Amino acid sequence: MGMTMVEKILAAHSGKDKVKPGELVNAKLDMVLGNDVTTPVAVKEFAKIGLDKVFDKERVAIVPDHFAPNKDINSAEQCKMIREFAHEKEIKNYFEIGDMGIEHCLLPEKGLALPGDIIIGADSHTCTYGALGALATGVGSTDMAAGMATGEAWFKVPETIKFVYNGELQKWVSGKDLILYTIGDIGVDGALYKSMEFTGEVIENFSMDNRFTMSNMAIEAGGKCGLIEPDQTTLEYVKDRAQREYTVYKSDEDADYSQVIEYDVSKIEPQVAFPHLPENTKGISEVGDIKIDQSVIGSCTNGRIEDLRVAAEVLKGKKRAPHVRLIIFPGTQEIYRQAMHEGLVDIFLDAGAAVSTPTCGPCLGGHMGILAKGERAIATTNRNFVGRMGHPESEVYLSNPAIAAASAVAGKIVSPEEV
Amino acid sequence: MDIKGKVWKYGSDVDTDVIIPARYLNTSVPKELAKHCMEDIDENFVDNVNDGDLIVAEDNFGCGSSREHAPLAIKAAGVSCVIANSFARIFYRNSINIGLPILECPEAVAGIETGDEVEVDVDSGVIKNLTKGQEYQAAAFPEFMQELIDAGGLVNYVKKKVGTA
Ligand code: SF4
């Protein structure tokens, strides 16, 4: 019996020839990540461990992105604490405001997340790097602290579900729609404790940006990680970025999957996830009349250059509805600059958008676009839980950037075909 | 470990955003976090929870973000144990790492209601519903996790490993 990608990566990092689902292994880590919300707790736990050095200064990344630029005094204190920790421990990959981006857009861009890696991040969307063929998974702050101390973490080898996407994509359908559709199909715990593997001709033809979007939301199905086999597109992406050696692992033909699920994408239209779970999905034609107060385009799910291009394509020459706040936040400084060079930022400003420096901001109800009681937003983010973007009685609808842009213009949730 | 208290029962997919909303994550002080624990789904919880009380929930408890602030807030609110049909992966890991007792036991979840008086022996996994006079058996932890729990959480475990204990 062969092995899946994830099994091969875990075996290689724990010095074994073979591992089986269910087995607990201790594995070496290629990168340990934290942000301004989770790192402060990790710093305290790290102090309790009593070591004065991290296991490897090059293999820890700290990104203040959630409440940064500092939203209030408490956030400033948290950022100060992690800045000082990074300085004291000589952590190379600490990214200050101005270099910073949303962590899961930033790490791949900087060549710090690579094929075949094992990466733990004290942030649940660390699974984003599965798009590069890495076993990347979210953990808590104590795991981050232990990872910084030892360069290792314990893992249960997950079972793998294989998803196969074939067929012709409809207009405006992107990676976001396929992952929303998948979550709608299997549910928010449909892949609990499991590894998801995204395959098929549609994935093979997808750009890296679409792939990142899909792997990003593996956690919204309960998954431990969401992997895509590295191919030419992956290697092109990492070629000039990689800061270390890396290894490409592919699943064996005879690997054992707990389930194989196939989708004919030609039947999938752009998706909208209704409050208050990402699994509450509907095709855009079934949405009905949902007025919105805010449209948010960005985040680690859809804040990359292609997402901004699509939004600009829809917004070009149009204006947001007068009662709608349109907030666009690019994922990184490089994406921001690229959007400027391509004239996308002008299109956004002409459309009446507020364009923000990279930050998590409204995505987690932090700052820069909080909803009042009873307000409704469409967002290209990944979660629509109760209170996620503000008041517990506000609502978040999830979609791709084209729908979010069109909805900003119409003032209600619509397809780009209708504006 | 001696656990006994009244039960607060919830449904499926209780996410970390309702356990502790992100708007309060500009601090990591457990007592501060505890002041807002569960407030977006149950505004009575914080004012009425007593030390030793238990949370019982259905599927996928603790889904969503990786914030360790969620189990920290629950623990600091005085909750002694969480019993559910299933836990989201990161919440499960975090709870074991910080020493918040959690048990998976669908029979207990089915049999227990809000307000029931429940006693738990975490080591053996035996859950007693004193109000209804029922007893349930939770699944045992894998050996390695039991080791972590016995060490008092991941930090103590790592200290032994790196020789700083
Ligand atoms: S953009 Fe949103 S989902 Fe992504 S890391 Fe930031 S808060 Fe989390």
Side-chain angles (χ1 to χ4, degrees):
Chain A
M1 184 64 72
M3 286 195 283
T4 64
M5 252 190 290
V6 150
E7 290 160 16
K8 286 187 183 176
I9 294 172
L10 278 168
H13 284 75
S14 57
K16 301 189 174 198
D17 293 332
K18 205 168 167 55
V19 296
K20 284 204 301 288
E23 203 176 323
L24 285 163
V25 297
N26 209 43
K28 292 223 170 333
L29 302 172
D30 295 291
M31 187 59 73
V32 179
L33 162 73
N35 59 46
D36 52 318
V37 167
T38 55
T39 309
V41 181
V43 167
K44 286 189 218 159
E45 297 304 309
F46 186 84
K48 287 187 202 157
I49 294 172
L51 291 176
D52 42 335
K53 281 199 213 117
V54 297
F55 82 106
D56 185 339
K57 295 184 274 200
E58 319 259 320
R59 289 177 188 262
V60 175
I62 297 179
V63 188
D65 56 359
H66 278 55
F67 296 143
N70 306 337
K71 85 157 177 138
D72 57 17
I73 295 170
N74 280 346
S75 314
E77 296 292 345
Q78 295 200 135
C79 288
K80 182 168 173 232
M81 178 184 184
I82 64 173
R83 182 181 304 117
E84 287 174 355
F85 177 80
H87 184 72
E88 198 184 294
K89 304 292 181 234
E90 296 170 353
I91 285 166
K92 195 175 147 233
N93 299 303
Y94 168 78
F95 296 93
E96 194 50 88
I97 307 302
D99 302 317
M100 169 276 256
I102 299 171
E103 53 201 293
H104 309 307
C105 298
L106 191 67
L107 261 61
E109 184 185 287
K110 297 285 183 198
L112 296 172
L114 295 165
D117 277 358
I118 295 189
I119 300 178
I120 60 167
D123 190 280
S124 58
H125 292 101
T126 302
C127 55
T128 309
Y129 324 134
L132 294 160
L135 195 191
T137 192
V139 295
S141 300
T142 300
D143 268 312
M144 180 190 175
M148 288 195 294
T150 63
E152 294 176 359
W154 61 271
F155 295 95
K156 184 150 116 192
V157 180
E159 294 181 347
T160 300
I161 309 179
K162 180 177 182 165
F163 296 86
V164 190
Y165 301 87
N166 285 317
E168 186 94 22
L169 286 171
Q170 293 185 25
K171 182 133 177 78
W172 305 115
V173 171
S174 64
K176 180 63 164 289
D177 304 290
L178 300 193
I179 192 66
L180 283 176
Y181 184 87
T182 305
I183 296 163
D185 181 42
I186 66 173
V188 290
D189 59 355
L192 195 59
Y193 302 128
K194 295 189 179 154
S195 168
M196 303 169 84
E197 199 175 307
F198 305 117
T199 69
E201 63 185 25
V202 178
I203 307 299
E204 283 160 28
N205 292 324
F206 261 168
S207 62
M208 276 317 300
D209 284 6
N210 265 319
R211 295 181 188 188
F212 283 127
T213 303
M214 290 194 70
S215 294
N216 176 268
M217 289 190 74
I219 178 73
E220 265 62 64
K224 178 177 205 142
C225 49
L227 271 66
I228 295 173
E229 197 167 277
D231 60 7
Q232 211 44 46
T233 306
T234 326
L235 299 182
E236 278 294 314
Y237 180 86
V238 296
K239 196 171 70 178
D240 297 326
R241 306 175 190 265
Q243 306 229 3
R244 308 174 252 115
E245 301 280 303
Y246 57 89
T247 316
V248 169
Y249 297 94
K250 301 191 176 203
S251 295
D252 291 322
E253 288 284 333
D254 60 344
D256 194 18
Y257 293 96
S258 69
Q259 222 181 329
V260 177
I261 300 175
E262 295 184 41
Y263 296 112
D264 174 2
V265 304
S266 49
K267 299 200 181 99
I268 300 176
E269 53 170 344
Q271 300 287 303
V272 177
F274 278 50
H276 289 286
L277 282 177
E279 69 182 20
N280 295 336
T281 52
K282 287 186 189 179
I284 185 72
S285 64
E286 295 160 2
V287 162
D289 192 23
I290 311 265
K291 292 210 170 42
I292 55 155
D293 304 285
Q294 179 162 300
S295 170
V296 172
I297 299 174
S299 84
C300 62
T301 320
N302 282 121
R304 298 185 183 78
I305 192 68
E306 282 181 21
D307 301 312
L308 301 184
R309 284 187 193 132
V310 170
E313 186 185 337
V314 175
L315 289 170
K316 187 160 191 176
K318 302 198 177 72
K319 269 221 138 342
R320 62 175 169 81
H323 67 277
V324 173
R325 287 107 52 187
L326 171 58
I327 301 169
I328 301 179
F329 54 121
T332 65
Q333 295 288 78
E334 191 180 310
I335 295 167
Y336 200 151
R337 190 189 298 275
Q338 176 82 16
M340 243 164 36
H341 283 166
E342 292 184 18
L344 310 182
V345 173
D346 280 328
I347 295 174
F348 297 150
L349 295 179
D350 289 343
V355 183
S356 155
T357 192
T359 175
C360 291
C363 172
L364 82 160
H367 57 150
M368 302 286 294
I370 303 302
L371 299 174
K373 183 173 175 177
E375 284 192 328
R376 242 187 231 145
I378 183 129
T380 67
T381 54
N382 46 37
R383 289 194 174 131
N384 55 355
F385 299 150
V386 169
R388 177 73 182 180
M389 200 174 276
H391 195 278
E393 285 170 45
S394 62
E395 291 184 343
V396 178
Y397 293 71
L398 305 175
S399 77
N400 71 25
I403 301 283
S407 305
V409 174
K412 58 178 190 166
I413 301 179
V414 296
S415 157
E417 301 300 321
E418 291 178 53
V419 296
Chain B
M1 206 181 302
D2 200 17
I3 286 176
K4 191 168 152 186
K6 278 225 313 262
V7 163
W8 297 77
K9 188 163 178 190
Y10 301 100
S12 286
D13 305 317
V14 172
D15 61 75
T16 53
D17 274 283
V18 296
I19 296 173
I20 179 70
R23 57 184 179 276
Y24 303 121
L25 295 186
N26 55 5
T27 173
S28 60
V29 179
K31 280 278 165 234
E32 288 299 312
L33 297 170
K35 287 183 192 158
H36 305 288
C37 188
M38 310 298 276
E39 75 175 25
D40 283 359
I41 49 166
D42 185 352
E43 50 190 27
N44 296 317
F45 179 82
V46 172
D47 291 336
N48 297 300
V49 67
N50 288 312
D51 273 358
D53 282 2
L54 293 89
I55 289 178
V56 175
E58 292 173 1
D59 299 340
N60 202 25
F61 186 84
C63 63
S65 108
S66 68
R67 63 188 71 153
E68 207 160 287
H69 311 66
L72 282 175
I74 289 176
K75 204 176 165 189
V79 170
S80 58
C81 177
V82 184
I83 302 169
N85 290 342
S86 63
F87 291 91
R89 192 190 69 83
I90 306 177
F91 185 91
Y92 184 92
R93 208 178 159 108
N94 286 345
S95 300
I96 290 181
N97 285 346
I98 69 157
L100 170 70
I102 54 170
L103 294 171
E104 287 185 338
C105 185
E107 294 74 35
V109 174
I112 296 173
E113 286 169 85
T114 289
D116 284 0
E117 186 85 10
V118 166
E119 197 178 85
V120 177
D121 179 356
V122 176
D123 293 335
S124 67
V126 173
I127 302 166
K128 284 188 189 148
N129 186 338
L130 303 176
T131 307
K132 298 219 176 74
Q134 292 173 344
E135 193 173 305
Y136 327 94
Q137 176 68 50
F141 287 104
E143 202 185 304
F144 170 71
M145 279 179 220
Q146 192 60 53
E147 235 180 279
L148 275 186
I149 295 165
D150 294 343
L154 184 64
V155 164
N156 289 338
Y157 179 85
V158 169
K159 282 172 85 166
K160 276 195 209 137
K161 203 159 129 181
V162 300
T164 52

